[in-house]
Structures are given as structure tokens and as C-alpha cells.
Amino acid sequence: MNDAPTRSPPKDAAAISEAAAGAILTIDLGAIRQNYRRLKARLGGVRCAGVVKADGYGLGAREVAAALQDEGCDIFFVALLAEGLDLRKAVGAGPDIYVLNGLPPGSEPEAVAAGLCAVINSTGQLKAWRDAARSAGRELPAAIQVDSGMSRLGMAPAEVETVARDASAFAGIDVRLLMSHLACADEPHHPANEQQLIAFERLREMLPKAPASLANSSGIFLGPSYHYDLARPGAALYGINPTPDEPNPMLPVVRLQAKVAQTRRVEKGAGIGYGHSFRAEGPLRLATISFGYADGWLRRSVSAAWFEGVRLPFLGRVSMDSIILDMSALPPGRLGEGDLVELLGPSQTVDDAAGHAGTIGYEILASLGRRFHRDYVGG
Ligand SMILES: *Cc1c(COP(=O)(O)O)cnc(C)c1O
């Protein structure tokens, strides 16, 4: 590129150039930072972590974490040890990194070497972390996760009662957090929310005194009684609406644009795409884009792309690497090879796309493919 000297070098040697890619994913790190600030404002003085599991909900855990670090965020959550090991290299030695799904048996030394915080979900994991502390000859940091009613991860109430009777249960463990997770936080009137709050209170009383954490993104919007000492938002940082029944209080973060590979005109009766699941009822002008289910767009979704505010419906089936659009609503010649149409952005939000696919915004982002040109802006 001619202007290369004025631009920072690509961070990732395997990065795909804009010219070579079929689609362009633009990630607004400035919007992520603003979203973090909005959540913090809502939390008053309560601390706010960043959840960057699943590669930062598909947007790049390293880049997202660096942006959040610039906002003062120094606590991160990932799902897997592998994600924690990778994130540690990106954020440096300072921040706490918690591994939500717990450490697989035998992996403790690797977690210790990387300075990760275990999330302890069972008495077996508690013992393994105690043993790891003894081997390391020092205290090891951990969160104790309790199951307050979701039945997914965390110590069951009976396990908590057992460890509460054992004076040495937490020997060698620096309990930095007592945490639990809400099953129905995005439904503010669901009775499970208050039931989990009460259960969490009861379980906390049996455990060592430590800062507490219950709220994910939607939990923050349930009000201060759910905030405790630390919130753990993911989705809201990435622009997904944490209050599905109300207007989105967050800024959009992603824009996804696909390139037109070819345009054509077809006559009445033409079969369109695999299985001829659509047949032209009159003459149509079509644009085929270099974007398909291999890029994470769900094949079942009833959807459209957008160009300059005009909706271009998908026709026929989504292919692996291409989708056929009806561009008859545009003036002839307006859209041509190499032009970009929008799949996600101002015309179609992540939550809109999720609605068309019968899923949630989380799945749209987490499914995003690996062969886009990625453009990080506002960093
Ligand atoms: C994924 C996750 C979060 C973040 O949830 P969002 O709904 O994305 O804000 C917080 N805590 C736990 C335990 C999680 O698994």
C-alpha cells in the first residue's frame, strides 16, 4: 500500500487484506469503550469487569481487552483455560483473569504458571486448587462460584454446606470473589431473579468473606440490589441490547459488509440457487455476494442485505460462500462488482439479524467467520 508508512503495521501477520477478502468486519473499539463507560455510570461506584470469552464474542479478545484496559478495566473473564493463556500474553501480568468454566483436572500447573485465577465450581476443583497452592508454596487466587439456581456451573448448595463445615477447606486459597450467574436476567419480571438473589445471599453467608459478583449485562439493569461489588458484562459491551423489551441503551459496535462478486439479470421462470427453492416470477436483477454460511451467517435465516438504505432480500438458499440478492429495487447499474453491501450495521443491527434468524445476538456475533478483513477503528 502506498500510504503504508503512515499506518501502523498489521498486528496479526495472518491478517487478511481488504482486497483479498470477501467481506469486511469493522469493529468500533471506541464504541466498546463508550459502552463500558455507560455501564460503569449505571453501576455507580461498583467495579466492572470485561467478559471476553469466545474470542471477545467473536470480535477479538486481545483487541477488546486492550481497549477496556485503556478504560481502567483490570478484571477479565474467559470461559476456557486456553482463552486465559492467550489473553494473559495480550494484557500483561497485571489484570486478574478468571476462567469461568473451571480448570480441567490436571491443568492447574499451567494456570498457575500463567498467573490465572481459578473459578472453583466444585469441591473437587477446590481440592485441586488447594493442592496446587501447596505445590506452588504460595496462596493462589480464585473465585468461588455457587449455583444459586441456574443448574449450570458452580457449587451446589449441599456442596457449599459441606465446605462450610471444613475449617481447612480454603487453605492456601486467596478467595477474591464469590460469584453466581443469573438464568433470567434479560426478563426483569421473572421470579427467578429474586429467588437467585435470595439463594446467593444464603450461600454467601456460609463462605469466606470476599467481594461478590452476580450481574451479567442484563443483571446490571435489574437494579443496584444485583450489583454487589463487581459486574461481569459481556454482551452489552459488544452492542447487544441488554434490555430486550426496551430501546437499546448501548452503542452499536460492529459493521459487516460483503463484496458483490457478480451481478446478472434473469427472466421470469429462472431457478435461483441450490434446489431452485426460489423461482423468478418476473424479470429480476440479482447480485451475488462473497459471503455465505461458512462466514457464520446461519443458513436458515430469512434475511436481507442493505445498500444505501435500500433493502436487498436474499433469494433462494444461502450457499457456503455466496448469497444471491434481489437488487431490483436499485436503479440499474447502481451496484456492481466489488461494491459493498451491509449485513450488519446501521440498517440491520446484530439484534435485528438475530430476530431474522430466530436466535439471539450472542449467537450472531459468536458465529462470525474467520476469513473477513478485520478493521479495528476508534482504538
Ligand atoms: C457469559 C457470562 C457473563 C457475561 O454475560 P452477558 O450476558 O454476555 O453479559 C457473565 N458471567 C458468566 C458466568 C458468564 O458465563
Side-chain angles (χ1 to χ4, degrees):
M1 250 180 277
N2 292 333
D3 57 349
T6 64
R7 298 170 75 151
S8 54
K11 284 183 203 153
D12 179 359
I16 297 169
S17 77
E18 186 166 344
I24 293 147
L25 181 68
T26 307
I27 295 148
D28 188 345
L29 295 173
I32 291 177
R33 291 175 60 160
Q34 284 238 26
N35 285 339
Y36 182 76
R37 265 181 254 155
R38 285 184 186 189
L39 295 174
K40 280 196 61 151
R42 229 168 228 282
L43 286 164
V46 167
R47 299 181 76 185
C48 190
V51 179
V52 295
K53 60 194 182 188
D55 196 24
Y57 292 47
L59 303 185
R62 288 165 163 252
E63 290 81 358
V64 170
L68 294 176
Q69 277 186 293
D70 288 343
E71 291 295 321
C73 178
D74 59 359
I75 304 178
F76 295 98
F77 288 84
V78 294
L80 305 180
L81 173 56
E83 295 172 341
L85 297 173
D86 190 61
L87 188 66
R88 176 59 81 206
K89 291 181 205 139
V91 297
D96 281 353
I97 301 173
Y98 289 92
V99 180
L100 286 168
N101 283 19
L103 300 172
S107 72
E108 294 82 9
E110 222 177 333
V112 172
L116 302 179
C117 304
V119 173
I120 292 170
N121 291 321
S122 67
T123 47
Q125 289 175 17
L126 183 61
K127 178 178 185 309
W129 203 234
R130 258 193 334 253
D131 292 347
R134 198 175 317 112
S135 304
R138 62 183 162 88
E139 283 209 323
L140 293 179
I144 309 299
Q145 179 160 229
V146 296
D147 177 22
S148 58
M150 187 174 177
S151 315
R152 186 179 71 169
L153 289 168
M155 284 195 206
E159 280 184 289
V160 174
E161 280 163 27
T162 305
V163 299
R165 284 195 293 269
D166 176 358
S168 60
F170 296 93
I173 297 179
D174 168 17
V175 180
R176 294 198 181 166
L177 212 55
L178 302 180
M179 61 174 283
S180 193
H181 192 49
L182 296 166
C184 307
D186 58 344
E187 298 175 59
H189 302 295
H190 201 296
N193 293 321
E194 208 186 318
Q195 288 162 9
Q196 285 199 257
L197 197 67
I198 293 164
F200 187 46
E201 281 301 310
R202 197 180 77 81
L203 294 168
R204 240 161 43 93
E205 279 165 18
M206 291 188 263
L207 290 167
K209 291 249 167 309
S213 176
L214 182 61
N216 65 338
S217 299
S218 295
I220 294 171
F221 292 82
L222 293 176
S225 55
Y226 290 82
H227 292 172
Y228 290 96
D229 304 299
L230 177 77
R232 309 185 308 269
L237 295 172
Y238 307 104
I240 293 170
N241 188 356
T243 57
D245 301 334
E246 289 170 47
N248 191 349
M250 313 316 298
L251 290 175
V253 168
V254 297
R255 182 157 198 214
L256 178 60
Q257 298 164 288
K259 272 182 202 167
V260 173
Q262 195 178 10
T263 63
R264 71 177 66 249
R265 215 190 123 88
V266 296
E267 299 307 326
K268 180 179 174 186
I272 291 172
Y274 281 123
H276 282 178
S277 63
F278 187 89
R279 211 168 268 285
E281 287 165 9
L284 288 173
R285 282 182 294 110
L286 308 180
T288 302
I289 54 174
S290 290
F291 178 81
Y293 61 76
D295 299 295
W297 205 262
L298 303 170
R299 188 170 171 274
R300 67 172 179 273
S301 72
V302 184
S303 201
W306 293 76
F307 183 74
E308 294 179 346
V310 177
R311 187 172 182 275
L312 311 177
F314 291 9
L315 292 186
R317 291 193 187 142
V318 171
S319 299
M320 184 184 285
D321 315 293
S322 54
I323 295 172
I324 303 162
L325 307 177
D326 179 2
M327 62 160 179
S328 306
L330 289 172
R334 186 69 200 82
L335 187 65
E337 281 180 30
D339 287 342
L340 296 173
V341 299
E342 181 188 303
L343 276 310
L344 297 173
S347 299
Q348 182 160 261
T349 67
V350 172
D351 291 306
D352 291 339
H356 300 319
T359 183
I360 52 175
Y362 297 68
E363 191 183 12
I364 297 290
L365 290 186
S367 305
L368 290 174
R370 299 279 151 230
R371 58 181 183 177
F372 304 137
H373 168 69
R374 286 177 172 236
D375 202 5
Y376 289 93
V377 300

